[in-house]
Amino acid sequence: MSHTSPVVVPAPGKTEWDGGVSPMNASYGKLMMWFFLLSDAFTFSALLITYGLVRSSHAAYDGTVENFVFSQAYWPIPEKVFAAIPFFHGLHAPLVFVGIMTFILIMSSVTMVLAVEAGQRMDRRAVEKWMLWTILGGICFLSCQAWEWTHFIIGDGVVGANLVRNEYGPPDFADFFFFITGFHGFHVFSGVLLNFLVFYNTVTGVYERRGHYEMVEKVGLYWHFVDLVWVFVFTFFYLV
Amino acid sequence: MAHHAEETTVTVLPPDKERIKKLWQVAGILGIITLIEFAVAFLVPHELKDVRVWTFILMTIVKAAYIVGEFMHLRHETKVLMWSILVPIVFIVWMLVAFVYEGMAIGDVRL
């Protein structure tokens, strides 16, 4: 690096495009992250909407909720499938566990946005703290999901669930469960890795030397998007 | 290379109390809406399917608006950026309507 050339330090949290003009008043990386997330939204929509198509093409359960039994003849009521929580075997607690997972993900979204806020005022210690909480939230969510999958696959009956058949309803039901929550879970997993990378770079002072914490904002956008997708998965897979 | 010469002094600004308070408020709203969803799931009987489904959809959209608008900061970006992201969503709406309609038609043929 030449010591004679003046180093232009942009305002905290702001970077400029090479041409010196920032279209839409956003940095290149941030804009591209937005467009990537838009395309990712299409992918998730395709999965969820196809779930809607396949579900509405199957027969719905007509009887009362109290008398509901699992059958291949109709689509199951989700709250009857997801009614278990760890350490309380046999307890019927519909949707409680998935509610806890939703809460964990919302909280980790809050800690992420607090990390972004801290980065914009160059507070390294605060960024480290909030990134750690965010990573912890992500790991908690993934652990919950691992338990949920295990419970779903083993099941309470003899069959459990796999891609070919399941004890809860038509094969498509389990297929969509694996693909939608699996695809989302993989996003969470990648998000945890990216968050760790940002945490590592913060601790080693990479962003402090760079003069801005924009990486935190970009990865933050991704992390909020993962939370956003979960809001939709929660509604359309578990509630409706 | 003289590393010490390159170390720049960093000015750490104090926390923006107003903004942090606002963020926690948004988190609170998201939490409350989720609790309401739970209440609807357990208190509104399954026979009122339309009421349940539309409440869930409406609340999901409200939650999504808060996440995208406040957490992802889209509401405070320039208008062009905001609409560049929001307008393509119409394709998703179209797909939703078309596919669910098609699904019901398939169901009618099967039965």
Side-chain angles (χ1 to χ4, degrees):
Chain A
M1 200 175 123
S2 165
H3 286 274
T4 46
S5 64
V7 181
V8 182
V9 182
K14 291 263 178 199
T15 53
E16 283 191 333
W17 290 39
D18 283 347
V21 183
S22 302
M24 299 185 192
N25 206 14
S27 73
Y28 178 79
K30 228 161 138 181
L31 204 56
M32 293 307 121
M33 179 54 90
W34 268 112
F35 287 127
F36 162 69
L37 292 181
L38 185 63
S39 73
D40 219 16
F42 281 119
T43 315
F44 272 110
S45 306
L47 278 171
L48 278 171
I49 291 171
T50 312
Y51 170 83
L53 178 142
V54 172
R55 182 178 177 166
S56 51
S57 71
H58 277 81
Y61 173 69
D62 286 330
T64 56
V65 181
E66 290 73 34
N67 300 324
F68 177 84
V69 279
F70 293 133
S71 162
Q72 303 290 316
Y74 45 77
W75 204 259
I77 299 174
E79 66 173 61
K80 293 287 174 183
V81 181
F82 308 102
I85 44 174
F87 312 119
F88 292 92
H89 186 73
L91 181 76
H92 186 75
L95 301 177
V96 169
F97 191 57
V98 77
I100 296 170
M101 289 167 72
T102 307
F103 182 73
I104 291 172
L105 215 52
I106 288 177
M107 283 314 289
S108 85
S109 220
V110 180
T111 55
M112 184 82 228
V113 81
L114 288 170
V116 170
E117 194 270 344
Q120 281 167 348
R121 48 189 182 80
M122 301 297 289
D123 191 340
R124 186 164 96 175
R125 287 204 163 275
V127 175
E128 286 170 8
K129 178 178 79 177
W130 293 120
M131 282 314 293
L132 264 187
W133 279 112
T134 310
I135 293 167
L136 190 72
I139 291 173
C140 281
F141 182 86
L142 286 173
S143 313
C144 289
Q145 207 172 31
W147 185 87
E148 199 193 25
W149 271 52
T150 310
H151 186 85
F152 187 81
I153 292 169
I154 295 170
D156 285 325
V158 248
V159 189
N162 54 47
L163 288 173
V164 183
R165 65 198 185 115
N166 66 86
E167 60 175 273
Y168 313 104
D172 285 339
F173 176 73
D175 295 356
F176 276 108
F177 175 78
F178 288 130
F179 273 87
I180 293 176
T181 66
F183 196 54
H184 176 266
F186 187 68
H187 273 73
V188 178
F189 175 71
S190 328
V192 170
L193 292 187
L194 289 172
N195 283 343
F196 183 77
L197 210 65
V198 166
F199 172 72
Y200 181 84
N201 282 345
T202 308
V203 172
T204 52
V206 171
Y207 303 136
E208 197 162 273
R209 284 192 293 278
R210 196 178 285 173
H212 60 82
Y213 282 76
E214 204 194 72
M215 256 339 262
V216 184
E217 291 179 47
K218 282 183 274 194
V219 173
L221 282 178
Y222 178 76
W223 191 251
H224 297 313
F225 176 76
V226 169
D227 181 30
L228 176 73
V229 170
W230 182 254
V231 164
F232 281 89
V233 173
F234 177 62
T235 301
F236 293 109
F237 207 96
Y238 294 92
L239 288 180
V240 171
Chain B
M1 245 166 79
H3 278 283
H4 290 288
E6 284 181 20
E7 292 288 335
T8 46
T9 47
V10 177
T11 349
V12 178
L13 301 169
D16 187 346
K17 290 241 167 58
E18 198 72 9
R19 197 173 149 209
I20 292 173
K21 198 178 148 204
K22 171 94 190 160
L23 293 174
W24 280 108
Q25 273 174 357
V26 174
I29 293 169
L30 292 176
I32 289 167
I33 296 176
T34 309
L35 286 178
I36 296 174
E37 281 181 328
F38 265 95
V40 172
F42 293 125
L43 298 178
V44 178
H46 280 259
E47 284 69 37
L48 299 167
K49 199 171 189 315
D50 286 348
V51 177
R52 288 169 60 95
V53 170
W54 284 107
T55 322
F56 289 145
I57 291 174
L58 197 74
M59 288 183 169
T60 304
I61 292 170
V62 173
K63 277 207 278 190
Y66 270 108
I67 292 173
V68 178
E70 296 297 334
F71 283 178
M72 296 171 90
H73 212 254
L74 191 62
R75 209 162 68 84
H76 310 284
E77 304 286 351
T78 51
K79 287 280 169 283
V80 192
L81 176 53
M82 193 176 94
W83 290 114
S84 312
I85 302 301
L86 292 184
V87 170
I89 302 293
V90 296
F91 290 113
I92 296 178
V93 176
W94 162 75
M95 194 184 175
L96 179 70
V97 173
F99 272 50
V100 170
Y101 186 76
E102 196 73 4
M104 288 189 289
I106 295 172
D108 288 343
V109 174
R110 269 194 196 166
L111 292 173

